[in-house]
Amino acid sequence: MASIHQTALVDPAASIADDVEIGPFCQVGPDVVLDKGVKLLGNVVLTGHTHLGENTVVHAFAVLGGPPQHLGYKGEDTKLIIGKNNTIREHVTMNPGTVSGRGQTVIGDNCLFMAATHVAHDCIVGNNVIMANNATLGGHVIVSDFVFMGGLSAVHQYCRVGIYSFVGAAALVTMDVIPYGSVIGNHARLEGLNIVGMKRRGTSRQVIHDIRAAYRLLFAREGTLQERIEDVTSMFSHSKEVMTIIEFMKADSSRALCTPRG
């Protein structure tokens, strides 16, 4: 049987696994689903069609599933889906999707959302993502696996942030960030590759060498971008990591690519 503090307000229609722990002064709405191992540590508000995956832990004053901050939202039954093994710290806010967008906001597994981070409507956040204090995602943003966002950073609506990339503290991202890229500044520009992150994840020296060489060619001044993409595709077709960058750059997007300064 779930452990529910006597001061918590839990709607009887909510779906709650037997071993869930709900601390003091929490509020859980009727359309909330809490999978096994979920812990709400106190003063947590869960509302709307919100689903928390196994072993996710939510700290005080987080508000998950509140109405999207979107003038077009008229109370539709859109969703917030949060995966397994996530840590959601104090004052975090996450909104569900909108009918004009994806209809749902989706969070992957094994993520850390530090205090006061915000995930807006219709975002997709991958696995093993870290958002440091006060980092913010605008609506419709896609954040891939293993991304690190520094404190006070922000990503403009509809941008994409590629796998293993790094967004520096207080950076304002208004364009797409390539996989393995490192961006800083306001407005953020590409400052190189997230070599530290790759090494921490055990990426081999050869793979790092290939990504570095491809990066230099892709952002060289000679030729057009399309010509450079074709050259890199030909030279590094053996490298799935480089091909991940190429596929990201070739994909349809409403945003331009974040490029180096100068």
Side-chain angles (χ1 to χ4, degrees):
M1 183 176 181
S3 173
I4 302 175
H5 193 274
Q6 62 184 359
T7 62
L9 300 177
V10 179
D11 193 289
S15 177
I16 300 173
D18 288 342
D19 61 348
V20 166
E21 298 179 18
I22 300 177
F25 302 106
C26 290
Q27 299 179 43
V28 179
D31 298 310
V32 171
V33 178
L34 304 180
D35 289 344
K36 65 180 183 180
V38 167
K39 295 181 180 180
L40 312 180
L41 299 186
N43 293 285
V44 172
V45 176
L46 303 182
T47 186
H49 291 265
T50 298
H51 187 157
L52 269 63
E54 294 177 9
N55 302 315
T56 288
V57 178
V58 187
H59 290 247
F61 301 106
V63 180
L64 308 179
Q69 297 174 93
H70 188 292
L71 293 175
Y73 180 72
K74 304 301 180 184
E76 298 90 351
D77 291 335
T78 54
K79 297 179 180 180
L80 170 63
I81 301 171
I82 299 172
K84 302 175 183 179
N85 305 313
N86 292 294
T87 298
I88 300 172
R89 293 301 302 263
E90 298 82 1
H91 296 279
V92 170
T93 53
M94 296 180 180
N95 297 144
T98 61
V99 293
S100 60
R102 297 184 176 90
Q104 59 185 19
T105 300
V106 180
I107 311 295
D109 302 333
N110 307 308
C111 299
L112 170 59
F113 298 91
M114 298 187 197
T117 54
H118 175 65
V119 179
H121 59 88
D122 301 292
C123 287
I124 297 176
V125 178
N127 301 322
N128 301 287
V129 170
I130 297 175
M131 293 178 61
N133 299 57
N134 294 285
T136 298
L137 302 180
H140 310 275
V141 167
I142 299 175
V143 178
S144 299
D145 297 348
F146 295 102
V147 167
F148 181 92
M149 290 186 61
L152 298 167
S153 61
V155 181
H156 195 270
Q157 61 187 18
Y158 291 102
C159 286
R160 300 175 299 148
V161 183
I163 189 171
Y164 283 102
S165 57
F166 174 87
V167 177
L172 175 56
V173 177
T174 60
M175 295 179 283
D176 291 346
V177 180
I178 63 167
Y180 308 99
S182 177
V183 298
I184 61 172
N186 181 3
H187 292 7
R189 300 306 295 265
L190 193 58
E191 295 293 335
L193 295 167
N194 184 17
I195 301 297
V196 172
M198 285 188 276
K199 288 181 177 179
R200 285 177 176 172
R201 296 294 176 184
T203 306
S204 71
R205 293 180 65 181
Q206 183 59 52
V207 168
I208 293 174
H209 173 80
D210 287 347
I211 294 173
R212 272 178 162 160
Y215 175 88
R216 293 190 187 102
L217 290 171
L218 286 168
F219 296 102
R221 296 187 178 183
E222 296 79 13
T224 66
L225 178 59
Q226 182 58 41
E227 289 170 341
R228 297 193 297 270
I229 287 175
E230 290 173 358
D231 289 343
V232 169
T233 300
S234 175
M235 295 173 64
F236 294 95
S237 59
H238 63 278
S239 171
K240 67 177 182 180
E241 292 80 11
V242 173
M243 289 301 101
T244 296
I245 299 174
I246 295 299
E247 290 166 7
F248 183 94
M249 295 176 72
K250 292 169 68 175
D252 289 336
S253 176
S254 60
R255 297 294 179 198
L257 288 169
C258 193
T259 57
R261 302 178 191 277

